Amino acid sequence: MTPTLQILRAGPQMTVQDLGRPALTAQGLATGGAADRTALAEAAALLNLAHFPAAIEMAGMGGEFAVTLPTRIALTGAPMRAKVDAKEIGWKQTHLILPGQRLSIGGALSGVYGYLATAGGIATEPVLGSRSTHLVGNIGQILAAGDGLILGPDPTPNAPTVRITPEPRFSGGAVRMMPGPQTGLFEKAELARFLASEFARGAASNRQGVRLEHGGAPFQAGEAAGLASDFIAVGDVQMTGDGVPYVLLSECQTMGGYPRIGTVIGADLSRIAQLSLGGRVRFTLISVEEADRLYRSPAQMIAEAKSRVAPLVRDPSEISDLLGYQLIGGVVSGRDEEEY
Amino acid sequence: MTGPKAQTPAYEILPLGQDCVLVRFARKPDLSALSAAQRFRAVIAGQQHSEITEVAPSLASVLLRFDPGATPRARIEVIVQKALAELGPDADLPAPTRRWHLPVAFGADAGPQLAEAAALAGLTQEAAVRQMVEADLRVLAIGFAPGQPYIGLLPDNWNLPRLSQLTPKVPAGALVVAVRQLVLFCNDSTTGWRQIGQTGFRPFWPHSSTPFRLEVGDAIRIEHVSQMDLAALAPERTEGLGGARLEKTR
């Protein structure tokens, strides 16, 4: 039997996401992929994978799922309330889901994007080297009730349950930004005012970008206004015509005419993507050399996440249930959201 | 790291995120920067540097992507400096290696703003279409949406401003005009440019063996077809080619 993840109910924006399609800028296609790559690295670490998996990204709200074969899953990213049948289960850990069980994932408790990854990965046909849905690029589609996703087989369904200490990123904080091609064209005083301001997530935010609201006057682009359309990097902080900053995420356009005051480094972009409505961010400008030193390859991201994985301490009386393919879970649920 | 050097167009070498270097030849669009960007891209691509994972030209700059885990930025900047030294003085756009013949229907339902655009360009609708068909056009840049080309440059009388009110939706295949350029939309889009024509050609066709059809530098010749011909060239009947033909020019 082909292992399949059945979608019984779908939240409004559930899509398959991996690391996307790099190096297609010349063709006008942004890399795309998961809005929170740290969450994919944490899923890879939990499931002991060597590569970033394709996983289901759930914006704000999850759905209901079933499997056709015993399948280990990892739940990462924005913590969401999760249940197997009637029993609450913990986030940021692995679980074994059995055929006949119903996995329900609710709304985000903090942050925005939650992820459901399976140990054998999603095995749908890649398009241009990736399984990521790219809505702007018209590749793939939003998942809906009734869809079935072919999975790779779980090589070790009996592997012990593990949990991860997530990188804190759901309530804002300091975000590091490096200079970009237009940073030097902004007035120094305006750049200083930007760096001194505190921002909240605007409602008009999605996988293309996060709008940032603050109490002060709009930002002036100075000499950076009226330039030729030029390339955009993921993480660019773009000043729209009305002086409101947007941080561009994985599904942004590849070129544009609005000036950009800097580029958020990869390590901190998840903090922007996951910024909760009540959270606040502040930017610090670092040098190009420091930004380059802070680069982490996908393999380094997974290795770092693996260092935060630990076995789940559980009641030994439940071990026999595990061997009998009964679900272990709920041991840590609902009592450690403060860690986020 | 800022030019100019003797015989070389002015340039700036700039960081663009942790994995790109941007070589910018001008801040505002002009023909000299456009030519420099396309020639620089050809020089870099011809040298086949294994350290560079992607080369992409825009209207006035060239993006070079690298793997920061394998190559330091300084190494890319050295490659850039050497390539710039080979660029030579201002020159025309490099000769095209390919030419597309692109069937387009103009006016009426296919181009609801043709009359308005023609009037702004000081032409009758017939004369406007004739200028489009006679224009020696190039793909100047690809971007904003997948495969989507900026095509130009049209004669000076087509230096039309963008609309002050956005058109909420033009269909996939719409050909729109502003600032001496045409854009051919892959998908239904919002635009501030005026729609003058419609084509069955889709610059991005995801499930084809060559999903991205156009390259920067490709020559484009527009062929005027009737609305009835356009219906026969619908993308779903023609694998998104819409009757377009590709001619190798060298």
Side-chain angles (χ1 to χ4, degrees), chain B residues 11-33:
Chain B
Y11 62 86
E12 300 168 276
I13 301 174
L14 301 156
L16 180 65
Q18 285 162 295
D19 66 346
C20 288
V21 166
L22 188 78
V23 183
R24 184 167 66 192
F25 294 98
R27 292 177 190 167
K28 311 238 169 172
D30 70 53
L31 203 54
S32 153

Side-chain angles (χ1 to χ4, degrees), chain A residues 267-338:
Chain A
D268 291 356
L269 198 56
S270 296
R271 203 177 276 272
I272 295 282
Q274 294 283 22
L275 180 60
S276 297
L277 278 176
R280 295 285 183 276
V281 289
R282 186 186 284 270
F283 293 86
T284 56
L285 185 63
I286 62 173
S287 68
V288 177
E289 293 72 23
E290 191 176 354
D292 286 348
R293 269 199 304 279
L294 291 166
Y295 173 80
R296 292 290 174 272
S297 69
Q300 286 171 316
M301 286 176 71
I302 292 176
E304 189 280 320
K306 279 184 178 170
S307 73
R308 293 185 271 118
V309 171
L312 190 73
V313 181
R314 57 177 177 249
D315 184 341
S317 71
E318 293 190 48
I319 299 289
S320 59
D321 292 337
L322 175 69
L323 296 175
Y325 275 151
Q326 293 298 307
L327 179 89
I328 298 290
V331 211
V332 294
S333 69
R335 66 165 165 80
D336 47 5
E337 267 104 43
E338 69 273 13

Side-chain angles (χ1 to χ4, degrees), chain A residues 23 25-27 228 230 266 292, chain B residues 18 24 27 54 61 65 73 147:
Chain A
T25 302
Q27 284 79 23
D230 210 338
D292 286 348
Chain B
Q18 285 162 295
R24 184 167 66 192
R27 292 177 190 167
E54 181 179 20
S61 68
R65 192 182 304 276
R73 183 182 298 275

